[in-house]
């Protein structure tokens, strides 16, 4: 055991992690045993300005300063001590997006976030050119779309980065990025664990006729691996982060990482043949691959772990929203009878009822598409429930089909990896709202993936804790200690979570449902076309 929390902070041995999520900026302080000892946060929202989803520079800095101030207040209240110095700091944020700067360090256009789907042409042309799937949200798609659009800022570009890369640069003077975040800017060569040199040359050749003074390599940040030194907090940077002026310069920073990478760290899924599934309003799965896929797939995004291992990502827009809407109908029904309902008990009862249903949901079919679903080819959605006169329509099957369909699009994407590409996985960790009712979401996911599923008792503080762990790894790793070893032996030792094996009958039932789900997609298409 390390020092008590107050002494850890007073002697500058605590470590700070800050993650800028889409609705909340979260700061956590951890001790030498990697436990959270204080936290702070700031709520914020993106703005739609001239058709572009963005956060202003003012919102970024006031939000960052407020989350740090909130953390410092938490420290003062709990331990009656001030934060003056730290062992290390790490920054994380939503992946992807576009922040271009000129040679004077001025932002040329407002920050374009990952939410923007304005780069369709660029995404398509670059995917063809590289023979590699380039999603619309990637930085390179934004840059090339700006070129295609003839935007006047492009000749002046001197540096492009993402949100946490920008913050890190302003606090340290270093134009660097962690490889996990880098993999959402431009494809990574797994052999060199750096930007793909062949594709950089292809891009430069593609845009050569434009005659820009810059080459792609010169405007991208430097790519770093977990554990690499990424610079130190400058005097100016310390004042930017802590407006009270108490924080001292000279603190080492780890490479800034994206929220996908910090999520992998926080769920101990950075080793090959591991993965994690985050299931809430949206759902995504990340599987760490042993080798390259045989070919590119539109449904699969390729990124990397913070150590540069290849990760296949299936991202779906819809997960629990429709399920929650149906639970609310049952709440209204109960209240109409004058029965006040505890929501946790209602969710628990209905979720557990689903386990009594037929393994294939008795022939019922549902689509949970509140919005479009890229994996199945829908630009907008209509939530839908449908059955035949012969279907077994009862409460258990109804709840079961709504649980199955919350993972329906994910299953379509995962089947490409698990069945067509024969990807091998030893361990999947589930986290998010779907797993709140003990054992139910976990059992359904085990059936969908035909894999053992672990659910952590605590997934810590999510991404802010994940980036704090990466900062801890940088300053505390022993010679030759890999990130996998550090997480297994020093962070998660003994806390593997609750494991559940797949039930072969559930697996077979989910496959029958999936065939029905795919066959019924024209029904969903008709609903989108007919219900305006």
């Amino acid at each position: 055991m390390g020092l008590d929390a107050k002494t850890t902070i007073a002697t500058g041995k605590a470590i700070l992690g800050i993650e800028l999520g889409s609705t909340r900026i979260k700061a956590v302080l951890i001790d030498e045993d990697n436990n959270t000892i204080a936290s702070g946060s700031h709520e914020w929202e993106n703005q739609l300005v001239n058709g572009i989803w963005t956060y202003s520079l003012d919102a970024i800095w006031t939000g960052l300063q407020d989350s740090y101030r909130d953390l410092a207040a938490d420290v003062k209240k709990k331990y009656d001590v001030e934060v003056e110095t730290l062992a290390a700091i790490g920054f994380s944020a939503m992946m992807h997006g576009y922040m271009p700067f000129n040679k004077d360090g001025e932002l040329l256009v407002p920050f374009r976030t990952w939410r923007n789907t304005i780069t369709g042409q660029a995404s398509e042309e670059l995917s063809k050119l590289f023979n590699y799937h380039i999603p619309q949200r990637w930085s390179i798609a934004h840059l090339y779309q700006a070129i295609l659009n003839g935007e006047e800022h492009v000749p002046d570009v001197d540096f492009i980065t993402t949100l946490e890369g920008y913050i890190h640069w302003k606090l340290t003077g270093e134009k660097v990025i962690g490889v996990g975040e880098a993999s959402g800017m431009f494809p990574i060569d797994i052999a060199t664990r750096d930007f793909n040199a062949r594709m950089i040359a292809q891009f430069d050749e593609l845009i050569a006729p434009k005659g820009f003074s810059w080459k792609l390599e010169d405007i991208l940040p430097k790519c770093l691996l977990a554990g690499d030194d990424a610079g130190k907090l400058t005097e100016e940077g310390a004042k930017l982060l802590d407006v009270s002026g108490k924080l001292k310069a000279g603190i080492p920073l780890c490479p800034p990482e994206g929220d996908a990478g910090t999520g992998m760290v926080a769920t101990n899924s950075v080793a090959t043949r591991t993965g994690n599934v985050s299931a809430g309003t949206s759902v995504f799965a990340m599987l760490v691959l042993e080798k390259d896929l045989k070919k590119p797939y539109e449904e699969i995004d390729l990124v990397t772990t913070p150590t540069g291992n290849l990760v296949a990502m299936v991202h779906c827009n819809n997960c629990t929203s429709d399920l929650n809407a149906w639970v609310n109908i049952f709440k209204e029904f109960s209240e109409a009878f004058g029965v006040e309902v505890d929501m946790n008990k209602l969710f628990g009862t209905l979720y557990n009822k689903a386990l009594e249903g037929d393994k294939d949901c008795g022939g019922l079919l549902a689509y949970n598409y509140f919005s479009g679903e890229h994996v199945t080819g829908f630009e907008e959605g209509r939530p839908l429930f449908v059955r035949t006169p012969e279907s077994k329509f009862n409460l258990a099957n109804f709840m079961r089909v709504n649980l199955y369909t919350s993972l329906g699009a994910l299953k379509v994407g995962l089947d490409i990896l698990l069945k067509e590409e024969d990807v091998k996985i030893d361990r999947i960790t589930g986290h998010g709202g779907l797993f709140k009712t003990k054992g139910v979401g976990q059992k359904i996911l085990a059936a969908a993936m035909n894999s053992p599923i672990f659910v952590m008792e605590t997934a810590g503080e999510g991404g802010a804790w994940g980036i704090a762990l990466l900062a801890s790894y940088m300053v505390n790793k022993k010679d030759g200690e890999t990130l996998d070893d550090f997480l297994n032996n020093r962070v998660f030792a003994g806390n593997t979570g609750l494991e559940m094996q797949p039930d072969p009958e559930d697996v077979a039932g989910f496959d029958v449902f999936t065939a029905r789900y795919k066959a019924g997609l024209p029904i969903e298409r008709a609903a989108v076309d007919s219900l305006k």
Side-chain angles (χ1 to χ4, degrees), residues 280-301:
T281 308
S282 64
V283 61
F284 61 85
M286 316 205 57
L287 310 185
V288 188
L289 306 176
E290 294 174 283
K291 58 181 194 297
D292 267 322
L293 298 180
K294 296 197 272 283
K295 62 177 197 183
Y297 297 90
E298 266 214 15
E299 302 89 344
I300 314 287
D301 295 354

Side-chain angles (χ1 to χ4, degrees), residues 21 116 174 241 313 442 472 519:
N116 291 291
E174 302 288 338
L241 181 59
M313 179 176 182
Q442 191 174 6
S472 173

Side-chain angles (χ1 to χ4, degrees), residues 472-486:
S472 173
Y473 171 65
M474 179 184 72
V475 291
N476 293 323
K477 68 179 186 297
K478 301 183 178 112
D479 275 351
E481 185 178 27
T482 65
L483 180 60
D484 309 357
D485 291 340
F486 177 80

Side-chain angles (χ1 to χ4, degrees), residues 29-45:
L29 210 56
I30 61 171
D31 62 17
E32 292 170 290
D33 296 319
N34 302 301
N35 298 313
T36 301
I37 50 177
S39 64
S41 69
H42 169 85
E43 306 290 322
W44 70 338
E45 277 297 336

Side-chain angles (χ1 to χ4, degrees), residues 16 42 56 98 108 110 182 184 189 218 222 226 263 266 290 313 325 406 431 442 479 513 519:
L16 172 66
H42 169 85
S56 68
Y98 180 66
L108 292 167
D189 178 340
D218 303 330
K222 184 169 186 265
E290 294 174 283
M313 179 176 182
S406 67
H431 54 113
Q442 191 174 6
D479 275 351
F513 165 77

Side-chain angles (χ1 to χ4, degrees), residues 451-469:
S451 161
I453 306 294
F454 291 79
V455 173
M456 299 270 178
E457 289 288 7
T458 66
E461 299 283 349
W465 184 55
I467 192 67
L469 293 179

Side-chain angles (χ1 to χ4, degrees), residues 69-83:
R69 190 186 297 114
D70 197 37
L71 172 101
D74 190 41
V75 166
K76 182 77 176 148
K77 189 173 142 209
K78 279 184 179 153
Y79 310 112
D80 195 30
V81 63
E82 304 280 3
V83 181

Side-chain angles (χ1 to χ4, degrees), residues 5 49 67-68 129 160 162 167 179 216 226 274 291 351 357 376 443 450 486 496 511 520:
V49 181
S67 67
Y68 182 83
L129 177 72
I160 66 167
T162 59
I167 289 161
V179 67
L216 183 58
T274 67
K291 58 181 194 297
Y351 273 38
T376 47
K443 188 173 169 67
N450 192 16
F486 177 80
T496 53
D511 280 340

